[in-house]
Amino acid sequence: MSSVSTSWGGAGETFLRRMLWRRVDRPEPIVALLGPPGSGRGAALEALSRVCGGTVVHANIDFGQTGPDGAAVEPDPVTATALIAFELMRGWRNLRGDPTFHRVGLCLLALNERLDADRGAARRQIEALIDQYARGTREGRATAAIEQTVVTSVELAAALTEVGTQEVVDVVRERAKPVIGALLRPIAKRGLRKAFRWHSRNPTAEEAGLVDSLIALSRTERTQAAGRLIEALLADIEDNAAAKPIRSTCACLVPDDVRAHEHSWVLLVDNADTESGQAFLTELGEARTRRAEHGDVDPLLVVCAADRWRTEWNHWWAPPAQAGPPTGEQRRVPLFAEATHALWAEHDAARDHRGDDPVAWWYPVWLGSLSPTAVSEVVAPLAARARDTELGGFTFHLAAGHPLAVREIGAARAADGSAGPEWRTGLWTRATGGAPWWEAMARRSLRGVVPLDERPWHELPAVVVAAAYLADPWRFADSRLPTGFPALAAALAELREHLWISTYGPESRLTALTRGSPLPALHPWLARCLLAGLATETAAGPDDGPVAAWPLLFGALRAEFGPASADRELFYQLALGEFTEVSAALAGRFDTVDHREWIATLEDVTSAPCGLLATTAGDPCHRLLLDRLPARRTVTEVTVAKLVAALWLHRDPMAGGPRRWYREIREGFTHLHHNSTRIDVSGLQEAALRFR
């Protein structure tokens, strides 16, 4: 299969066209690219880097790299800042000269050396050290070849790992000299006056003189120096950007009132949720806040991959799992390709009234899912080899556009040598690495989020209970959690934090007609994996013996929540397979209530999960349902039964995909509209039109 990363190129290009342009007096955000694990955040950053190419000044940093021995290598904020400076020093086609980072170099020099306490002696010492570092090392003499001398963040981390610690020994100092010397080379050529002027103006220097701030920094512990070093980086970037780049045409999507504009520099941060990544971004936000107090604005647009929601964002942004509209100063998190500078400007204006809140620099955006076209392009070679013309649509709907799921479904299809769509039968229970496919997929999706109990189950796993509970559309009107599942609350909290629960999932075609806005739901891919396990596994029953897990759980939920609402009771009845009773009840209500109200109930009731589809294909399942109906029934009863069956099955790709059932659904609503005894049948007509 081809890489799914190519599918983010279009969205990345649109994002940059909307966000790259800037007003020189407006600060840039820290964009958090959100999505659940496996949603392609890293691939989206790679796509952004390709779109930037050699004309958009940008740097990449990954806080989740591994070294040659396989151990994690997480650069701390000091190392990360130096690495970013080196990344930005590359030659850029649209700049008149290569960027220089003398402030960063001086800060690292001060951390690596013990400067004299006397101001005059310290200045002479610094000048001598610059000459020694820049001209006395091979790397310092060849700044342009820095890519050959310090190639990776792993090597750079090794060079700078102990700089600024309490006891800097000679071997540590010598190891760091080549790296720092490369940054100091431009100073050795042009002099110190400009660099010293900045250090004396730095707010943390307390106006102590030309070199006093560097003297103080040389006595600062490494962990306390990161903020100062990041301020130096931002100041260097601001100065470099002020040296006007060569003008070139661009495709920025700017407002009508904006004519000439500048372009941001871009920092792409992967694995931002590691401990070191969070530490760096926190220091970056605080450094920007301190600089903003003095009117300093840098042009650095930061885009980072985040796999969890941070509660401190709640004041400014509505959480993805929040039901209802934003409240107070909240704004809805936009989609990746729909994020605009205008929305950021609105937020930034509100931030100005809140003072120095470093959290307010964040601008969360939702990555979203791969489009049907993108998924079809990914699986096209495989579909051609297997002569499976339905593979693209099936993969898209089963994965709900989730990139990792698309890849896993493709791997499962490639492992099956049969032609056509028959390979889907029994997919959930097919052995994969010693476990059913549903379990293997669920474990990969939940790695690092919430545990999934080993089979055979004694008690139902909390995350499986969560999948069944979250399927209930009435849960928001009744905030009670089901009793008897003490670990459920913690599982739900983890799923929300790691973005598996959101309002950004695929919408039913009836949502706009019946509810107006989607409810938060578990991502369909993860929900299908977990519910397939529920449909095929057992758990300990009331007598402690193994019983089928599906009726055990949905029976318990029905007993607790069903009696409070007739509609909710129908939902749980359908989940338990009582199709005949549910369709008869819905047929009995038809024409007794407003049709839009009836359609809303129909929509919610038929959203019940269908356990039959874990082991039975769509067409046999459909026949099985309709064969259960009594022989004597009215036209309305027959039509409603067919409509309930089609709406129920069309939600699950294992039943053949949604379009397989559109005609049945459309004809059902049309027949009901012709047989209604009510004056207003517009709701039925609109519902039919939504399934064209």
Side-chain angles (χ1 to χ4, degrees), residues 580-604:
T580 303
E581 295 82 351
V582 171
S583 59
L586 289 170
R589 291 191 196 180
F590 185 72
D591 276 350
T592 66
V593 296
D594 178 79
H595 286 321
R596 292 178 187 274
E597 180 183 337
W598 184 83
I599 292 170
T601 301
L602 178 69
E603 160 79 350
D604 288 340

Side-chain angles (χ1 to χ4, degrees), residues 234-251:
L234 296 177
D236 277 335
I237 291 173
E238 183 181 359
D239 270 7
N240 281 303
K244 301 297 185 182
I246 298 172
R247 291 291 182 190
S248 60
T249 58
C250 70

Side-chain angles (χ1 to χ4, degrees), residues 210-226:
L210 293 174
V211 296
D212 288 3
S213 62
L214 290 176
I215 295 172
L217 189 60
S218 75
R219 288 160 171 75
T220 301
E221 182 65 23
R222 178 187 179 100
T223 56
Q224 303 300 314

Side-chain angles (χ1 to χ4, degrees), residues 7 486 687:
S7 301

Side-chain angles (χ1 to χ4, degrees), residues 457-460 537-549 551-553:
W457 299 333
H458 179 70
E459 295 182 350
L460 289 166
E537 298 298 326
T538 61
D543 299 327
D544 222 29
V547 298
L552 178 67
L553 177 54

Side-chain angles (χ1 to χ4, degrees), residues 60-75 83 87 151-157 270-271 274 276:
N60 302 272
I61 185 165
D62 185 353
F63 286 97
Q65 284 189 330
T66 55
D69 59 354
V73 179
E74 296 185 14
L83 178 60
E87 282 267 313
V151 179
T152 68
S153 60
V154 175
E155 294 171 322
L156 191 142
D270 203 0
N271 290 295
T274 61
S276 56

